[in-house]
Amino acid sequence: VFEQRTVAALAEVAVFDDITDRKKAEEALRTAYESLGAKANELQQYTRKIKLLGEMGHMLQACLTVDEAYTVISQAAQQLFAGEQGALCVLSESQAVVEPVSTWGQSQVTQVFGPDECWALRRGRTHSVPDTRDGLICKHLTRPLPGAYICVQLMAQGKTLGILHLSQPEPTRLNQAKQQLVVTMAEHAALALSNLRHYETLRNQSNRDPLTNLFNRRCME
């Protein structure tokens, strides 16, 4: 009788261990499945944003004026970075002041500021602050400060054109993929704006007399 009870107890322990192992395996499988689903969704979102970035590039190629380009960049930024605030700021011809030409969300960039008030322009490279409570803060931001922000220098053909600014209400560190997306967008915007400025300059030179600045025969024709 004692041996029978011992065997039965061992059998119950074996069954219990088997069920426990099975539950652990099912839990591990469920966790792996959820992780895979999250990564697949993240990849899908990233692919969508790359497509939007490509569409922005095509739209910029069709723009005839810088004002049209400002609108295209602003609309693309709102789609790429939904729920975030930002601004496209350009340097004046004299390189003395920087002015936001397009904003989205509750942008916290001042209306006019000097190039030395932005760390991205001073350093000549991207300036990212994951937590504005601790870091080098650009002076062109209004109070209260956003939780985190990034400023990317707009540069094309060796000339600085301005910055692309993006901010978030809560402190957060941009992952590498998102930061690269912001940088790529800034590169597209800078190249388009540089080309349009050259186009407008050449068009003006072809239509006006260089001495008197009056319209010439080409313009009349």
Side-chain angles (χ1 to χ4, degrees), residues 36-50:
L36 183 62
K39 289 181 179 180
N41 183 61
E42 183 179 348
L43 180 60
Q44 185 178 8
Q45 291 294 325
Y46 185 74
T47 302
R48 172 180 168 274
K49 290 183 178 182
I50 291 298

Side-chain angles (χ1 to χ4, degrees), residues 19-37 39:
I19 294 175
T20 302
D21 291 341
R22 187 184 305 170
K23 286 184 177 180
K24 288 182 179 180
E26 290 175 353
E27 180 65 22
L29 184 61
R30 184 179 65 81
T31 302
Y33 180 77
E34 290 177 354
S35 177
L36 183 62
K39 289 181 179 180

Side-chain angles (χ1 to χ4, degrees), residues 60-72:
L60 287 174
Q61 291 179 7
C63 290
L64 297 179
T65 65
V66 290
D67 289 332
E68 289 181 349
Y70 296 156
T71 301
V72 170

Side-chain angles (χ1 to χ4, degrees), residues 6-168:
T6 302
V7 172
L10 291 174
E12 290 178 359
V13 171
V15 171
F16 178 78
D17 288 343
D18 181 63
I19 294 175
T20 302
D21 291 341
R22 187 184 305 170
K23 286 184 177 180
K24 288 182 179 180
E26 290 175 353
E27 180 65 22
L29 184 61
R30 184 179 65 81
T31 302
Y33 180 77
E34 290 177 354
S35 177
L36 183 62
K39 289 181 179 180
N41 183 61
E42 183 179 348
L43 180 60
Q44 185 178 8
Q45 291 294 325
Y46 185 74
T47 302
R48 172 180 168 274
K49 290 183 178 182
I50 291 298
K51 183 179 179 181
L52 287 172
L53 198 61
E55 291 176 356
M56 184 196 76
H58 288 302
M59 291 293 293
L60 287 174
Q61 291 179 7
C63 290
L64 297 179
T65 65
V66 290
D67 289 332
E68 289 181 349
Y70 296 156
T71 301
V72 170
I73 295 168
S74 177
Q75 291 178 348
Q78 293 179 62
Q79 292 180 299
L80 287 168
F81 312 108
E84 300 177 25
Q85 301 79 40
L88 176 69
C89 309
V90 298
L91 271 164
S92 62
E93 290 294 331
S94 63
Q95 304 285 299
V97 296
V98 186
E99 181 181 5
V101 293
S102 181
T103 61
W104 53 93
Q106 300 296 321
S107 176
Q108 293 177 266
V109 177
T110 56
Q111 291 301 315
V112 178
F113 58 93
D116 59 343
E117 296 183 68
C118 179
W119 280 101
L121 293 176
R122 290 171 65 177
R123 300 169 65 205
R125 55 183 297 184
T126 299
H127 183 65
S128 179
V129 179
D131 190 342
T132 54
R133 294 172 297 185
D134 181 25
L136 293 172
I137 309 302
C138 295
K139 294 181 180 179
H140 60 75
L141 294 178
T142 60
R143 268 55 178 177
L145 292 172
Y149 76 93
I150 182 174
C151 289
V152 182
Q153 185 184 31
L154 298 177
M155 177 172 282
Q157 300 176 359
K159 185 177 181 180
T160 300
L161 305 177
I163 61 167
L164 178 65
H165 170 83
L166 190 70
S167 63
Q168 296 177 325

